[in-house]
Amino acid sequence: MRREASMFGVLMALLGLSGNAAAQEVPLGCSAPRDTRAFEAGLLSGRSLVQQAWNSVASCGNLERFSSVVMETLQNVTLPPGSDDYVVCRTVGTLVGAVEQVDETWTLCAIACCDEGELVGWIMGKLYCDLSIALGGVRLTNFLVQRPMGFCGATAQACCRDTFQSVTPAYQGLFGSCRPYTQGRFRATWTQSRNSVCSYRQ
């Protein structure tokens, strides 16, 4: 029970992270010193992976390729069922760091807001599914706190939600399918998660 509660805290805090503040905030489930170090190491790793993807493209005219490289890279980030808090925190940190760096990279171009929303929706949809599959279902209705993310406005929000909504039911990871966690008794949690991870700073 304590482990499940701590994992709820991980995703709750993750969904509440926003822009530059994310680097200073550690999820509740990662508050133990060892787990905090794992989360912070994950942040650096995720940022580095996205920066490497950008370095391979380095052109605002080729954002579609940039998104493809990011997704191909993050497909290799997995979360096996039964993972301990250290592994979960490292994984969460990696994907949060990736989103942070995507947002910062997009500001260099100041265009294609829908493309950014789609990429963020894909990353956060993957994380929702990986955590749901690993933990046997994420129940956050009474815990979710909305804080806006930093990407570019209502267009990005709409595209993020559309992508999250299409990616998660079809997601088939190494350890199972996400579809059961998008319907039935998980539907409210899924809807709340979609709305929260795709909110934006006005």
Side-chain angles (χ1 to χ4, degrees), residues 7-174:
M7 292 305 97
F8 291 155
V10 169
L11 189 54
M12 178 185 72
L14 168 68
L15 297 178
L17 291 173
S18 62
N20 294 332
Q24 285 78 44
E25 293 191 39
V26 176
L28 179 62
C30 302
S31 57
R34 178 173 179 265
D35 300 332
T36 296
R37 291 194 295 271
F39 176 75
E40 291 174 346
L43 284 177
L44 294 175
S45 176
R47 282 181 166 275
S48 177
L49 290 172
V50 172
Q51 185 60 52
Q52 290 174 40
W54 176 249
N55 291 343
S56 72
V57 175
S59 170
C60 291
N62 205 5
L63 289 174
E64 184 175 348
R65 175 58 185 159
F66 169 65
S67 294
S68 295
V69 174
V70 170
M71 289 189 287
E72 289 167 7
T73 300
L74 295 181
Q75 284 282 18
N76 296 320
V77 178
T78 60
L79 184 61
S83 296
D84 64 13
D85 290 2
Y86 182 91
V87 174
V88 173
C89 292
R90 176 68 185 243
T91 301
V92 170
T94 298
L95 294 177
V96 170
V99 168
E100 286 183 0
Q101 193 64 35
V102 163
D103 192 46
E104 289 186 12
T105 299
W106 233 269
T107 63
L108 299 174
C109 300
I111 57 173
C113 281
C114 187
D115 289 349
E116 182 185 5
E118 289 174 348
L119 182 53
V120 170
W122 184 90
I123 295 171
M124 301 308 280
K126 170 180 166 55
L127 183 55
Y128 173 85
C129 288
D130 286 347
L131 284 172
S132 294
I133 294 166
L135 303 176
V138 180
R139 305 301 300 273
L140 298 175
T141 305
N142 297 325
F143 303 95
L144 204 58
V145 176
Q146 287 197 23
R147 292 181 184 171
M149 299 180 71
F151 55 82
C152 52
T155 298
Q157 180 184 61
C159 294
C160 177
R161 288 180 176 177
D162 286 347
T163 300
F164 185 98
Q165 186 166 316
S166 63
V167 164
T168 48
Y171 185 85
Q172 182 69 44
L174 289 175

